[in-house]
Amino acid sequence: MDIHLGIPEKDRKEIADGLSRLLADTYTLYLQTHNFHWNVTGPMFNTLHLMFEAQYTELALAVDLIAERIRALGFVAPGTYSAFARLARVEVVENVPEATEMIRILLKGQETVVRTARELLDTVGNVNDQATDDLLTQRLQTHEKTAWMLRALLQ
């Protein structure tokens, strides 16, 4: 079916590809955060357990928004572990590190998602894709704030 959104197909494809990378990074960070929520131990257990829960809950909502934007642009959203593994830049940590290392790993993941989102800003601005720009701006604000909060725990 033809799509007439005022954005040429090649530009929509480029944006959808970038959003697919953002989706993969976000989902990978979601899984890592949820894993750490389950497995954190130590004197900061309660604080980190609750913080990680708030973070993974926010990420779970975000993946839906990102995937729906890809669909609105007329493309299929990736939705398998293999697709996410191929597209994601967020590092997957298989072991269960100690609590302070968990914070460092999640901080690095949040910053990776920020960079992935920021890479798309010029493209969406050049084609006046305000809907994707708004989504990216919201994601940047959330991930930058979360990174700041994680960073504060390490000082």
Side-chain angles (χ1 to χ4, degrees):
M1 179 176 290
D2 288 336
I3 297 175
H4 303 285
L5 301 176
I7 303 170
E9 183 175 0
K10 78 171 191 47
D11 295 322
R12 286 187 291 108
K13 172 78 168 113
E14 182 178 349
I15 293 166
D17 288 347
L19 287 172
S20 293
R21 288 188 298 278
L22 181 62
L23 178 61
D25 276 346
T26 304
Y27 199 87
T28 303
L29 183 58
Y30 159 80
L31 287 173
Q32 191 74 76
T33 306
H34 210 153
N35 176 29
F36 289 170
H37 164 78
W38 289 327
N39 292 299
V40 68
T41 59
M44 292 178 49
F45 168 79
N46 195 52
T47 299
L48 294 178
H49 185 73
L50 294 173
M51 177 186 254
F52 295 164
E53 181 176 21
Q55 290 174 6
Y56 81 68
T57 300
E58 193 285 324
L59 290 163
L61 297 171
V63 295
D64 198 49
L65 295 173
I66 298 164
E68 288 176 354
R69 184 64 193 147
I70 294 167
R71 295 298 298 141
L73 291 168
F75 296 91
V76 174
T80 64
Y81 290 121
S82 61
F84 291 151
R86 187 175 61 254
L87 293 166
R89 296 176 187 157
V90 170
E91 183 181 342
V92 175
V93 176
E94 297 291 339
N95 62 344
V96 179
E98 60 97 37
T100 302
E101 187 61 20
M102 287 179 177
I103 296 167
R104 282 188 185 92
I105 291 165
L106 294 179
L107 170 59
K108 186 177 176 183
Q110 292 285 341
E111 290 175 340
T112 298
V113 175
V114 166
R115 290 190 304 276
T116 300
R118 198 173 301 286
E119 287 174 0
L120 269 174
L121 287 174
D122 284 343
T123 302
V124 301
N126 290 339
V127 297
N128 295 314
D129 181 358
Q130 290 87 357
T132 302
D133 189 88
D134 182 56
L135 173 65
L136 293 172
T137 300
Q138 290 176 36
R139 298 311 315 144
L140 286 167
Q141 289 172 339
T142 298
H143 291 288
E144 287 178 356
K145 182 177 180 178
T146 302
W148 158 59
M149 291 181 172
L150 291 165
R151 204 175 294 112
L153 290 170
L154 297 171
Q155 296 177 344

